[in-house]
Amino acid sequence: NAGVTQTPKFQVLKTGQSMTLQCAQDMNHNSMYWYRQDPGMGLRLIYYSASEGTTDKGEVPNGYNVSRLNKREFSLRLESAAPSQTSVYFCASSDTGIRPNQPQHFGDGTRLSIL
Amino acid sequence: DAKTTQPPSMDCAEGRAANLPCNHSTISGNEYVYWYRQIHSQGPQYIIHGLKNNETNEMASLIITEDRKSSTLILPHATLRDTAVYYCIVRGSNDYKLSFGAGTTVTVRA
């Protein structure tokens, strides 16, 4: 059972380049999330998708776009990368169907450096 | 707006129980207490959550005080692999985000 899979695991970009981070889950979860974690800080929510076909902004959405491709996949795109977007990006999913307050399950992250 | 307060660090001896405290004095009636941990360079790992009753699973036990203003995560037999940052998070039923604070850095020593 793979859970939440993120690709790539590492990436180095130049300022101004674009890139899409991929996330897929195999737990049939309704909701998916993108967070970023900067050194010494907690995770901050970038965007989330409560269900297939919907997306909403989180705390720090500027500079990012997302696509909920289908129930399994939720991608995060940086259109014009900036050094301030150097971070570790985590994708998560949760089952928000009938049972409330189900926990979020995380992938192992994409470590992104922008020069 | 910090909803939880945890000690910054604690040590634990291998094989002993680790008791991790968390204060959440402003918790409201529909908010759950969640515990996650993050081992270096990995994604956060869900441990346990609860509303008001004590909870136990294969990883840990969660003890919530009767007034719900504080809780304790218990790792019954700590191993070296339990060394991690542990996060106590309060989350309402309508909240989509998890607000991670600084957490408690737990070091298990042989």
Side-chain angles (χ1 to χ4, degrees):
Chain A
N1 186 359
V4 178
T5 303
Q6 294 184 235
T7 56
K9 295 189 185 305
F10 302 92
Q11 185 70 49
V12 178
L13 293 178
K14 295 181 179 179
T15 297
Q17 287 185 315
S18 62
M19 156 154 210
T20 300
L21 281 60
Q22 306 287 353
C23 175
Q25 52 92 9
D26 63 3
M27 297 174 281
N28 201 35
H29 285 168
N30 296 319
S31 300
M32 297 185 73
Y33 314 81
W34 277 105
Y35 291 85
R36 62 178 286 176
Q37 185 175 33
D38 299 312
M41 296 182 65
L43 279 70
R44 292 181 291 170
L45 183 65
I46 305 171
Y47 270 94
Y48 66 96
S49 171
S51 61
E52 187 178 356
T54 69
T55 61
D56 285 285
K57 295 179 180 179
E59 301 172 82
V60 288
N62 292 343
Y64 305 95
N65 287 302
V66 290
S67 294
R68 183 74 182 268
L69 304 171
N70 48 55
K71 191 171 185 179
R72 290 187 65 247
E73 299 173 288
F74 189 37
S75 63
L76 179 71
R77 183 162 178 83
L78 287 69
E79 290 291 351
S80 179
S84 61
Q85 295 177 304
T86 293
S87 190
V88 182
Y89 291 85
F90 290 103
C91 177
S93 71
S94 66
D95 180 6
T96 52
I98 296 174
R99 296 181 302 163
N101 288 292
Q102 294 306 298
Q104 295 179 18
H105 298 274
F106 288 79
D108 278 336
T110 293
R111 283 145 187 82
L112 182 61
S113 293
I114 299 163
L115 307 177
Chain B
D1 53 341
K3 288 189 172 183
T4 65
T5 303
Q6 300 178 250
S9 64
M10 61 183 295
D11 287 357
C12 177
E14 187 178 23
R16 303 293 295 271
N19 296 289
L20 283 63
C22 179
N23 287 322
H24 31 80
S25 59
T26 61
I27 193 169
S28 61
N30 70 343
E31 290 182 319
Y32 284 67
V33 179
Y34 288 78
W35 283 85
Y36 282 78
R37 71 181 183 184
Q38 190 171 23
I39 297 170
H40 183 62
S41 298
Q42 297 182 19
Q45 178 187 22
Y46 166 75
I47 301 173
I48 199 167
H49 75 288
L51 182 63
K52 55 182 178 181
N53 296 323
N54 297 337
E55 302 286 345
T56 295
N57 63 21
E58 65 278 6
M59 289 183 67
S61 295
L62 174 60
I63 309 298
I64 302 174
T65 58
E66 191 169 346
D67 64 8
R68 302 210 319 126
K69 292 184 177 182
S70 66
S71 60
T72 301
L73 178 75
I74 301 172
L75 306 177
H77 304 287
T79 70
L80 299 179
R81 288 178 295 179
D82 291 323
T83 292
V85 179
Y86 287 76
Y87 298 97
C88 171
I89 299 167
V90 166
R91 176 180 168 225
S93 55
N94 294 323
D95 291 339
Y96 279 98
K97 72 176 182 181
L98 290 171
S99 295
F100 288 77
T104 296
T105 298
V106 173
T107 303
V108 180
R109 303 191 186 278

